[in-house]
């Protein structure tokens, strides 16, 4: 039997190391299982193959500018192209958690891919499809870690979400639905399952001010066992076709229902000063709970910022 040649692999996380790059973690595990040498790229070395993975576009991170000394270079990730995919053999490999030791004890992965919403500010529907479908079982990327960070765009839109929520509940790990849950899809049945899942904070979103989501938040409030507003966070998208009045209305309405609003600014450099000031007021919770009315908030208030 012909022996497979072992090769030297270099990895470049273009976005930095502040968040684990799941693709690189899977590639690392796949090549290590083949007997290849895998390491973070070192400009002083030479590699048979170097992978560059980039999640974000130029708006949020810059492309790698240094030299790449390699026989073959492969670039991937949404920061480069929405159509590239990992081969199935790599996609379904358990991620190499040793690649990011600073995040030891945390499992990262997807149970579903896709979202039916097709929001204008989001690339998921274009990249993954307008249906949420199950792509993995929890055991594919979790093996006993105390915390699970789920990267799914819209878990509740998946027809199999009940089975997947039961897997998360049975794990007894703390689950972070990092991309949020779709409040419009919460039912009494899946709310009961969410009550079984261990969470520190549940995340939702109210992106479109033209859509009245208050009835859905009231309904969730009736079914959820989580009563602490700090554990019921709602992202409020601003600077995407909304007025300041619409932004402030969503913030105040959510607070009145016992939810914790958190202002997100689309393309922040283009946001007006009033929107950036609103973000500072809402997201600094010490200020938000002390200064009850935005009209009374001064940017140079103790704990705030002088600059708009």
């Amino acid at each position: 039997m012909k022996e497979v040649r072992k090769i030297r692999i270099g990895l470049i996380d273009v976005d930095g190391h502040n968040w684990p790059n799941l693709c690189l973690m899977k590639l690392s595990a796949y090549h290590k299982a083949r007997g290849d040498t895998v390491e973070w790229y070192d400009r002083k070395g030479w590699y048979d193959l170097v992978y560059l993975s980039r999640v974000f576009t130029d708006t949020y991170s810059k492309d790698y500018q240094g030299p790449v000394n390699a026989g073959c270079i492969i670039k991937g990730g949404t920061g480069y192209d929405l159509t590239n995919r990992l081969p199935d053999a790599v996609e379904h490999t358990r991620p190499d958690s040793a690649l990011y030791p600073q995040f030891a004890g945390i499992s990262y992965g997807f149970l579903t891919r896709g979202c039916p919403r097709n929001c204008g500010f989001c690339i998921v529907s274009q990249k993954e499809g307008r249906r949420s479908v199950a792509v993995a079982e929890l055991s594919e990327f979790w093996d006993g870690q105390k915390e699970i960070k789920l990267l799914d765009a819209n878990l509740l839109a998946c027809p199999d979400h009940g089975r997947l929520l039961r897997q998360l509940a049975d794990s007894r790990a703390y689950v972070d639905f990092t991309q949020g849950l779709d409040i419009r899809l919460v039912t009494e049945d899946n709310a009961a399952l969410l009550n079984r899942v261990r969470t520190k904070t549940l995340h939702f979103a109210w992106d479109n001010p033209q859509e009245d989501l208050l009835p859905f938040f009231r309904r969730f409030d009736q079914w959820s066992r989580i009563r602490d507003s700090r554990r019921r966070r709602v992202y409020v998208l601003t600077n995407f076709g909304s007025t300041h009045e619409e932004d402030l209305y969503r913030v105040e309405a959510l607070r009145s229902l016992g939810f914790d609003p958190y202002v997100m600014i689309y393309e922040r450099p283009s946001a007006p000063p009033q929107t950036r000031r609103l973000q500072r007021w809402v997201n600094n919770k010490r200020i938000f709970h002390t200064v009850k009315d935005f009209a009374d908030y001064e940017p140079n208030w103790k704990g705030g910022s002088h600059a708009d």
Side-chain angles (χ1 to χ4, degrees), residues 275-306:
T275 301
R276 297 198 295 270
R277 192 161 65 249
L278 178 71
Q279 184 187 53
R280 288 199 299 275
W281 176 61
V282 174
N283 295 0
N284 186 321
K285 297 306 174 183
R286 186 166 69 92
I287 297 176
F288 187 59
H289 294 302
T290 303
V291 183
K292 299 295 185 180
D293 193 327
F294 178 67
D296 297 328
Y297 170 60
E298 295 294 337
N300 61 350
W301 187 82
K302 183 174 60 176
S305 169
H306 287 275

Side-chain angles (χ1 to χ4, degrees), residues 77-90:
T78 54
Y80 288 123
D81 183 0
L82 296 185
T83 63
N84 56 69
R85 299 285 188 276
L86 289 175
D88 279 350
V90 179

Side-chain angles (χ1 to χ4, degrees), residues 183-194:
I183 192 68
R184 294 158 291 193
L185 299 178
V186 175
T187 66
E188 188 169 7
D189 289 339
N190 59 34
L193 290 173
L194 286 170

Side-chain angles (χ1 to χ4, degrees), residues 88-132:
D88 279 350
V90 179
E91 180 64 43
H92 295 285
T93 296
R94 185 185 299 278
D96 179 9
S97 58
L99 202 60
Y100 293 90
Q102 65 271 42
F103 300 107
I106 305 175
S107 174
Y108 296 81
F110 290 87
L111 291 174
T112 67
R113 294 276 193 171
C115 177
R117 298 299 179 185
N118 198 30
C119 299
F121 55 84
C122 179
I123 64 172
V124 170
S125 294
Q126 181 183 353
K127 178 177 181 288
E128 301 179 1
R130 295 191 62 175
R131 292 178 61 247
S132 176

